């Protein structure tokens, strides 16, 4: 931001006041960010050991769940939306997401079929309702 | 009398069946959003903003305010039953609410929380009606120099108060927000900055996609990352769930004090409901005769926390409407929604639309009555809502996160912005950076940039008006002191100095007494 502000056009051809150049605030922000980064770096060195103990709270979380969520969301938003009709992509996304996270791996066949059925019902209902609401309620041309 | 007249006129104008219908559904939706861990008030308001494009101005703002009030109140449900605050605002509620639930008094705790929230909002509304018009009048005296300091004040105070043990992280979040606001065409010479060759960035980064990403998508990621929580095994009790009026009357000072504290915290830019709740909770603990009960199921603590966080809502709307500076993250989204619906918040609001502030007060009153009615009558339903699996809820929330920002501009670029801000917000949260200063930075960046450069142009490059005009000087002193006090070494030295002075005064006092004897 600091370098960008320094290199920014000063608009001399337009004879603007030198104090109103567009890069002024980015330069100041860049300087303050450098200062804060330096201070944070210094404090992280002194606090390094005590903060390492805090990482224990992250251990209770599920990285696998996070990565699957991230994958599902990114595939839906960046690949499906725009390439498939929205009603299809949203139904597919909600159903697959629900199925993935409600899958009873250790349970019997009956529980698995139930999980698949519920996920599909939720997916179809929510996907259709959201699409209809935006398309006909708010007159949005869906992607 | 004039204020009362405006208020009554707004009450009559808004008391239509259609408006009351909006109050009913949006407050109920707000309570659901707030009660589900992972869905916050800011996220609810941001997502609902995208659903109000087609509503008229008053209906849209009413819906958003009901969502805001409902969600802040709704957070207490999961705080009491799951020991997980539905929204960050209810963290203090969980301290005494969950122990009460474990004692078999969950329904009673929820009723107390309802009464606290409703009364807290009413205290806040009273202060809102009294303070907003004079503040707008004072703000009319603000020039470009004062607006620059106001923007800096917002970022500094918000960064300091929300940064917790590390105000530096709060400042960095604020600076990041300001940097994001530098993207796109600047407001004085229309020069395009930091667009990286993308024409879509010429107009700057949209606030709604950024907020939906930072508060919606990042919450979806956080919610799925967390392990699921366990509900208290004693949610229903056979004892009376309704607090008696005499019990509430005993808490009158607690409610008034917590309401005032919450509203004042709300007025401070970008601080928000969680700080309001903690501040009210600690003040009540200090004045309590039964301090030992706090954290073990104190009704005083529960009421203080809920009154404090709910009173922040009207408080946060005071600077949002009169200065266009949000008091909380959710009110920042409300400002964006106001612009979308043709309302220009700022000091001119009392001149251009003097009745609007009273309309907002009436909307807050409607939302308060709705939370009181729902809170006291639908306890079992809220317990059932908490059992909705995240596996089905989160993909629906994410679908709304995608289609909501797209609906405004019908441009896929806004979906990408939402995704980018979601990932950025998630990373910042994991590194304990507060989100409120970031949001405030995005909102105030343009004001700060224009005010500084315009001020320097007016003074021909002279910095002195920024420090010599009375209001500017006041802001500069407060900001300087705040930054100084956030430096640990300075704070330590000051504490030493104070203790030395106090000890010195005590010794002098004792020596004087001995001499007299």
């Amino acid at each position: 931001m600091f370098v960008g502000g320094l290199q920014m056009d000063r608009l001399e051809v337009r004879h603007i006041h030198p104090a109103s150049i567009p890069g002024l605030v980015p330069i100041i922000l860049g300087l303050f960010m450098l200062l804060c980064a330096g201070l944070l770096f210094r404090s992280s060195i002194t606090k390094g050991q005590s903060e390492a103990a805090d990482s224990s709270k992250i251990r209770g979380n599920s990285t696998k769940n996070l990565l699957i969520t991230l994958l599902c969301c990114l595939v839906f938003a960046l690949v499906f939306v725009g390439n498939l009709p929205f009603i299809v992509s949203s139904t597919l996304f909600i159903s697959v997401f629900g199925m993935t996270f409600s899958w009873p791996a250790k349970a019997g066949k009956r529980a698995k079929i139930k999980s698949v059925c519920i996920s599909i019902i939720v997916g179809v209902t929510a996907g259709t309702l959201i699409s209809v609401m935006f398309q006909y309620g708010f007159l949005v041309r869906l992607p | 009398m004039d204020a009362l007249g405006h208020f009554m006129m707004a009450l009559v104008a808004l008391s239509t069946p259609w408006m009351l219908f909006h109050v009913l559904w949006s407050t109920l939706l707000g309570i659901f959003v707030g009660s589900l861990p992972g869905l916050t008030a800011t996220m609810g308001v941001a997502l609902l903003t995208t659903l109000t494009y087609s509503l008229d101005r008053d209906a849209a703002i009413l819906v958003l305010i009901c969502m805001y009030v409902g969600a802040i109140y709704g957070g207490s449900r999961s705080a009491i039953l799951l020991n997980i605050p539905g929204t960050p605002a209810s963290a203090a509620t969980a301290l005494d609410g969950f122990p009460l639930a474990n004692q078999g008094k969950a329904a009673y705790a929820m009723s107390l929380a309802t009464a606290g929230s409703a009364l807290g909002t009413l205290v806040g509304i009273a202060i809102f009606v009294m303070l907003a018009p004079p503040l707008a009048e004072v703000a009319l005296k603000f020039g470009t120099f004062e607006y620059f300091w106001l923007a800096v004040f917002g970022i500094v105070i918000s960064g300091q108060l929300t940064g917790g043990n590390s105000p530096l992280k709060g400042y960095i979040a604020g600076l990041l927000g300001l940097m994001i606001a530098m993207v796109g065409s600047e407001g004085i010479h229309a020069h395009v900055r930091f667009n990286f060759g993308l024409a879509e960035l010429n107009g700057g980064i949209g606030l709604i996609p950024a907020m939906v990403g930072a508060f919606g998508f990042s919450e979806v990621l956080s919610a799925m990352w967390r392990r699921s929580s366990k509900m208290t095994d004693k949610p229903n009790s056979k004892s009376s769930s309704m607090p008696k009026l005499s019990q509430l009357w005993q808490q009158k000072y607690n409610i008034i004090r917590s309401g005032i504290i919450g509203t004042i915290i709300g007025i401070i830019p970008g601080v928000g409901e969680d700080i309001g709740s903690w501040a009210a909770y600690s003040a009540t603990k200090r004045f309590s005769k039964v301090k030992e009960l706090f954290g073990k199921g104190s009704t005083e603590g529960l009421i203080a926390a809920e009154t404090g966080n709910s009173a922040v809502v009207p408080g946060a709307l005071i600077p949002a409407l009169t200065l266009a500076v949000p008091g909380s993250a959710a009110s920042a989204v409300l400002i964006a929604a106001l612009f979308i619906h043709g309302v220009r918040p700022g000091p001119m609001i009392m001149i251009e639309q003097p009745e609007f502030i009273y309309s907002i007060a009436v909307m807050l009153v409607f939302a308060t009555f709705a939370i009181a009615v729902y809170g006291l009558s639908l306890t079992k339903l809220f317990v059932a809502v908490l059992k909705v699996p995240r596996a089905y809820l989160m993909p629906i929330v994410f679908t709304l996160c995608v289609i909501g920002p797209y609906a405004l501009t019908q441009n896929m670029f806004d979906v990408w912005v939402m995704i980018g801000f979601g990932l950025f917000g998630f990373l910042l949260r994991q590194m304990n950076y507060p989100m409120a200063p970031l949001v405030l930075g995005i909102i105030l960046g343009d004001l700060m940039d224009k005010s500084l450069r315009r001020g320097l142009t007016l003074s021909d490059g002279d910095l002195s008006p920024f420090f010599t005009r009375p209001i500017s000087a006041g802001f500069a002193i407060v900001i300087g002191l705040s930054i100084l006090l956030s430096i640990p070494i300075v704070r330590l030295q000051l504490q030493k100095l104070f203790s030395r002075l106090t000890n010195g005064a005590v010794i002098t006092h004792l020596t004087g007494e001995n001499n007299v004897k």
Side-chain angles (χ1 to χ4, degrees), chain B residues 248-279:
Chain B
L248 286 177
W249 183 248
Q250 283 170 2
Q251 301 287 339
K252 57 185 180 294
Y253 296 120
N254 181 9
I255 289 168
I256 293 170
R257 181 179 52 238
S258 303
I260 292 172
I261 290 172
T263 314
I264 292 169
I265 296 285
I267 295 170
I268 302 171
V271 176
E273 298 80 14
D274 43 346
I275 308 280
S277 176
W278 284 114

Side-chain angles (χ1 to χ4, degrees), chain B residues 90-112:
Chain B
S90 300
T93 308
L95 277 188
D96 287 303
F98 191 65
L100 276 172
N102 273 337
Q103 291 163 21
K105 296 177 186 170
Y108 177 62
M110 285 197 275
S111 302
L112 273 184

Side-chain angles (χ1 to χ4, degrees), chain B residues 40-187:
Chain B
T40 61
T42 314
M43 180 209 222
V45 178
L47 281 180
L48 203 57
T49 301
T50 63
L51 304 180
T52 58
Y53 300 148
S54 55
L55 291 179
D56 68 71
R57 184 197 78 171
D58 284 350
I61 306 299
L62 174 74
V63 162
L64 296 177
I65 283 182
C66 289
M67 158 62 77
Y68 186 12
V69 173
I72 293 297
Y73 160 71
S76 65
R77 311 286 93 177
S78 50
I80 292 167
L81 293 170
L82 297 173
N83 199 22
I84 298 238
T87 62
S90 300
T93 308
L95 277 188
D96 287 303
F98 191 65
L100 276 172
N102 273 337
Q103 291 163 21
K105 296 177 186 170
Y108 177 62
M110 285 197 275
S111 302
L112 273 184
T114 306
S117 282
L119 294 169
T121 317
L122 288 178
V123 171
I125 294 168
I127 301 174
F128 171 83
V129 172
M130 283 189 285
L131 268 190
L135 187 65
E137 218 161 284
V138 171
L140 281 173
K141 292 178 186 149
F142 281 22
T144 184
F145 306 100
E146 288 76 17
Y147 270 113
F148 166 73
W149 282 121
L150 180 69
V152 178
F153 174 79
I155 303 292
V156 168
I157 298 293
S158 171
Q160 195 166 11
L161 293 180
T162 57
N165 293 331
S166 174
L168 202 54
K169 287 192 171 179
Y171 297 151
I172 290 177
L175 281 171
L176 284 171
L178 291 172
M179 286 178 167
I180 291 163
M182 293 300 114
V183 175
S185 175
E186 48 94 16

Side-chain angles (χ1 to χ4, degrees), chain B residues 72 111 123 298 327 343 371 406 466 479 492 494:
Chain B
I72 293 297
S111 302
V123 171
S298 161
V343 179
I371 59 166
Y406 175 85
F466 284 96
I479 292 165
L492 201 72
L494 272 176

Side-chain angles (χ1 to χ4, degrees), chain A residues 47-119:
Chain A
K47 285 183 190 168
Q49 286 176 336
S50 61
E51 284 199 354
D54 286 353
S55 62
S56 60
K57 70 178 178 187
I58 294 174
R59 267 179 239 146
N61 297 325
S62 168
T63 311
K64 190 178 133 197
N65 278 2
L66 175 70
L67 292 176
I68 295 171
T69 307
L70 204 56
L71 183 75
C72 288
C73 291
L74 292 183
V75 167
F76 167 61
L78 304 177
V79 182
F80 285 4
V81 176
N83 293 318
L84 287 175
F86 189 76
I87 191 165
V88 176
S89 61
S90 56
T91 301
L92 209 59
F93 167 66
I94 297 168
S95 304
V96 170
F97 194 102
M99 233 180 277
T100 312
F101 286 102
S102 65
W103 186 250
K106 289 171 191 167
K109 199 177 170 186
R110 201 169 173 173
K112 283 175 182 162
I113 292 170
K114 190 183 165 191
S115 159
V116 171
C117 290
I118 294 176
S119 301

Side-chain angles (χ1 to χ4, degrees), chain A residues 14 17 20 22 25 60 62, chain B residues 51 189 193 225 227 449 453 460:
Chain A
R14 283 158 67 177
H17 193 286
S20 73
V25 175
S62 168
Chain B
L51 304 180
H189 306 298
R193 301 183 290 200
W225 194 34
R227 299 270 180 207
D449 177 43
R453 292 189 293 137
D460 200 17

